[in-house]
Amino acid sequence: MVIKGLNCLGLSGTSTFGGVELALIKTDGLDINERKKAYAVPYPDMMKDHIKAVYGLQRNTPENEEKLKKVDEEVSDFYIQLINEFKNEYEDEIDLIGIDGLTIMHNPNIPYTYQLGNGRYIAARTGIKTVTHFRNADICSGGQGTPISSSYFNAVGIDEIKPAAYVNISGKSSITWIGSFGEIVGFDCGPGDNFINNWTSKHANMENDYNGRLAIMGKVHEKIVNSLMHHKFFAKFPPKAAYTGIFADKAEHLEGLSLEDGAATATAFVAEAICYSICLYLPELPKKVIICGKGAGNPTLVRFIRQRLPNMDVIVSKEADIPTDTVNAEISAFLSARAVYSLPITFPSTTGVSQPIPGGEIYEAN
């Protein structure tokens, strides 16, 4: 039997903590027809420093433009290296590359969004048609620019009991809700694992709280969690996007806590933001909540979410046949197919655009 679709290689920059995810799938932009190969690769340490030095910058001055161009070239060369290594390891031809590079700045209020990864350069150097910058068309059309993953979760959740909520916990957290009749609602709901990782990186020189080990040994300071939840973002009705650095100043509330207590309280904040949004902003409470992204690999975070949603069936992505460490790369691959087939990736109920919008800038190999 011939499986329809294109061999799409997705790359997701996620964050300097999460590294680069790669996933090869066969898809027609409607279904995931076959999963072929996937893994994650860390950013080199020096490259992490270069990325952090431009994090939050806009291309609004010649100086910033030059800094961003230099880092973009460095990261694009790294992506090209990873793609060529992937090609050498895998026998099947790759038809299409989809790249959702690391976000340097995203703020729909300006409006502005910028992700690393030069699509034209990557297509020329790899010899493969490449799709990048999936958020730009939505931002230019008055949308929030995120989440862009809702069409993917709608595809993988076709047989899931409804209503269902997919919570993608990566650098930030977003929710895709799928109703009993196929309705889709999506929005960013709060901080993700970067909020936890920033704490462990600053106070323990650790990339992350591996398996939630620090948090499980710490005490959650509920008063601090309640204070963090007073952020104006949580009072805003969807659609909404968590702009770059929106929760950074809230990390000051953790200062003075022990390493373990800080990790526990940061983890509880991520969990509380997710559960608050599920209970308050969805059209109907879900029968099942599926935790995806890097957050699904943190058992302490998952336990905190379950404690706050005692009457819901909360599972992790691997129980729903969704990869944990490479889901964002799979999303990039899926969206690249939707781009070349001119299928929408954002909708009025997910980003607030006036009509469904296709996304992605397509660059031919030549």
Side-chain angles (χ1 to χ4, degrees):
M1 181 180 69
V2 177
I3 300 176
K4 61 181 180 178
L6 302 170
N7 280 337
C8 300
L9 174 61
L11 274 77
S12 177
T14 60
S15 69
T16 54
F17 297 112
V20 183
E21 302 173 13
L22 298 96
L24 181 65
I25 62 174
K26 192 151 197 173
T27 179
D28 58 0
L30 297 174
D31 300 296
I32 308 294
N33 306 119
E34 187 180 359
R35 290 185 172 101
K36 300 198 171 190
K37 186 180 181 69
Y39 52 80
V41 178
Y43 284 102
D45 288 340
M46 186 174 295
M47 190 176 297
K48 290 179 188 176
D49 293 336
H50 295 165
I51 293 170
K52 290 175 183 177
V54 299
Y55 187 71
L57 291 185
Q58 297 180 51
R59 301 170 63 184
N60 54 357
T61 68
E63 182 182 7
N64 285 357
E65 180 74 33
E66 184 61 30
K67 289 179 180 177
L68 288 166
K69 181 181 178 182
K70 186 175 181 180
V71 173
D72 199 20
E73 289 176 352
E74 180 182 9
V75 171
S76 295
D77 279 330
F78 184 55
Y79 290 169
I80 291 166
Q81 174 190 331
L82 296 179
I83 292 165
N84 287 333
E85 290 174 355
F86 197 103
K87 285 166 57 180
N88 292 336
E89 294 174 7
Y90 194 77
E91 296 178 356
D92 283 10
E93 183 179 354
I94 298 172
D95 301 310
L96 190 61
I97 295 170
I99 297 177
D100 185 27
L102 191 149
T103 296
I104 294 298
M105 178 65 176
H106 182 89
N107 190 341
N109 301 321
I110 301 177
Y112 181 87
T113 189
Y114 181 72
Q115 289 76 40
L116 296 176
N118 186 323
R120 178 175 283 108
Y121 178 59
I122 292 169
R125 293 290 300 274
T126 61
I128 304 171
K129 183 186 292 188
T130 301
V131 187
T132 58
H133 299 105
F134 295 104
R135 297 168 170 79
N136 288 8
D138 186 85
I139 282 280
C140 292
S141 300
Q144 295 291 300
T146 64
I148 57 174
S149 54
S150 296
S151 59
Y152 166 84
F153 288 118
N154 184 52
V156 297
I158 190 70
D159 296 323
E160 193 58 75
I161 187 172
K162 307 292 193 312
Y166 291 84
V167 183
N168 190 12
I169 308 173
S170 297
K172 57 184 176 181
S173 299
S174 65
I175 295 175
T176 294
W177 176 89
I178 304 171
S180 302
F181 300 100
E183 318 97 299
I184 301 176
V185 171
F187 56 94
D188 286 351
C189 61
D193 57 10
N194 273 2
F195 192 82
I196 305 167
N197 296 339
N198 284 330
W199 171 263
T200 59
S201 176
K202 179 179 180 180
H203 294 276
N205 197 28
M206 295 168 55
E207 286 284 287
N208 56 66
D209 182 8
Y210 182 71
N211 277 342
R213 291 176 180 174
L214 292 175
I216 198 65
M217 294 187 293
K219 173 188 174 183
V220 174
H221 291 248
E222 294 292 351
K223 287 185 177 180
I224 295 178
V225 174
N226 292 336
S227 176
L228 294 171
M229 287 300 298
H230 281 102
H231 195 290
K232 62 183 179 180
F233 175 82
F234 301 114
K236 183 180 179 181
F237 278 77
K240 57 182 178 179
Y243 59 79
T244 301
I246 186 172
F247 302 110
D249 60 331
K250 290 294 182 181
E252 297 177 0
H253 291 244
L254 304 177
E255 296 300 333
L257 299 181
S258 68
L259 174 62
E260 293 79 7
D261 285 5
T265 305
T267 304
F269 175 41
V270 175
E272 180 65 23
I274 291 166
C275 299
Y276 176 88
S277 299
I278 287 174
C279 294
L280 190 62
Y281 292 128
L282 297 183
E284 182 182 356
L285 290 178
K287 293 180 180 178
K288 184 174 285 189
V289 176
I290 301 97
I291 308 300
C292 305
K294 290 291 194 295
N298 183 331
T300 304
L301 175 56
V302 174
R303 182 167 67 86
F304 284 177
I305 293 172
R306 285 180 172 143
Q307 288 173 344
R308 286 163 169 77
L309 300 174
N311 298 320
M312 296 182 199
D313 184 13
V314 179
I315 66 171
V316 294
S317 55
K318 64 182 180 181
E319 298 175 69
D321 195 29
I322 299 172
T324 298
D325 293 329
T326 55
V327 64
N328 290 301
E330 196 163 287
I331 291 169
S332 298
F334 183 76
L335 295 181
S336 69
R338 290 186 71 86
V340 298
Y341 291 132
S342 300
L343 297 170
I345 67 171
T346 57
F347 309 86
S349 60
T350 62
T351 64
V353 285
S354 59
Q355 61 184 9
I357 298 288
E361 298 174 1
I362 303 172
Y363 297 96
E364 298 292 340
N366 57 357

Short mmCIF file of all heavy atoms in Angstrom, two decimals, residues 65 67 89 121 180 222 253 282:
data_model
loop_
_atom_site.label_atom_id
_atom_site.label_comp_id
_atom_site.label_asym_id
_atom_site.label_seq_id
_atom_site.Cartn_x
_atom_site.Cartn_y
_atom_site.Cartn_z
N GLU A 65 19.86 44.97 14.14
CA GLU A 65 19.77 44.21 12.89
C GLU A 65 21.06 43.43 12.64
O GLU A 65 21.03 42.25 12.26
CB GLU A 65 19.50 45.16 11.73
CG GLU A 65 19.38 44.49 10.37
CD GLU A 65 18.08 43.74 10.19
OE1 GLU A 65 17.05 44.17 10.74
OE2 GLU A 65 18.10 42.70 9.49
N LYS A 67 23.34 42.50 14.91
CA LYS A 67 23.49 41.46 15.94
C LYS A 67 22.62 40.25 15.61
O LYS A 67 23.07 39.10 15.69
CB LYS A 67 23.11 42.01 17.31
CG LYS A 67 24.09 43.01 17.89
CD LYS A 67 23.60 43.51 19.25
CE LYS A 67 24.55 44.51 19.86
NZ LYS A 67 24.02 45.04 21.15
N GLU A 89 21.84 9.83 7.55
CA GLU A 89 21.45 8.69 8.38
C GLU A 89 20.18 8.01 7.88
O GLU A 89 19.93 6.86 8.22
CB GLU A 89 21.23 9.17 9.83
CG GLU A 89 22.49 9.65 10.53
CD GLU A 89 22.18 10.24 11.90
OE1 GLU A 89 21.02 10.14 12.33
OE2 GLU A 89 23.10 10.79 12.52
N TYR A 121 18.30 30.61 2.77
CA TYR A 121 19.67 30.11 2.91
C TYR A 121 19.68 28.61 3.16
O TYR A 121 20.47 27.86 2.55
CB TYR A 121 20.34 30.87 4.04
CG TYR A 121 21.76 30.47 4.37
CD1 TYR A 121 22.77 30.55 3.41
CD2 TYR A 121 22.09 30.03 5.64
CE1 TYR A 121 24.08 30.21 3.73
CE2 TYR A 121 23.40 29.68 5.97
CZ TYR A 121 24.38 29.77 5.00
OH TYR A 121 25.67 29.42 5.31
N SER A 180 -16.82 18.29 21.19
CA SER A 180 -17.50 17.06 20.76
C SER A 180 -17.92 17.10 19.29
O SER A 180 -18.08 16.05 18.66
CB SER A 180 -18.73 16.81 21.64
OG SER A 180 -18.37 16.72 23.00
N GLU A 222 2.50 28.50 48.67
CA GLU A 222 1.23 28.81 48.01
C GLU A 222 0.95 30.31 47.96
O GLU A 222 0.33 30.79 47.01
CB GLU A 222 0.08 28.08 48.70
CG GLU A 222 0.13 26.56 48.58
CD GLU A 222 -0.11 26.06 47.16
OE1 GLU A 222 -0.48 26.88 46.28
OE2 GLU A 222 0.08 24.85 46.92
N HIS A 253 9.84 36.93 42.71
CA HIS A 253 9.07 36.48 43.86
C HIS A 253 9.67 35.22 44.50
O HIS A 253 9.38 34.91 45.66
CB HIS A 253 7.62 36.19 43.46
CG HIS A 253 6.84 37.42 43.10
ND1 HIS A 253 5.75 37.85 43.81
CD2 HIS A 253 7.00 38.33 42.10
CE1 HIS A 253 5.27 38.95 43.27
NE2 HIS A 253 6.01 39.25 42.23
N LEU A 282 -12.29 27.58 28.90
CA LEU A 282 -12.71 26.64 27.87
C LEU A 282 -14.23 26.61 27.77
O LEU A 282 -14.93 26.78 28.78
CB LEU A 282 -12.18 25.24 28.17
CG LEU A 282 -10.65 25.09 28.16
CD1 LEU A 282 -10.26 23.64 28.41
CD2 LEU A 282 -10.05 25.60 26.86
#
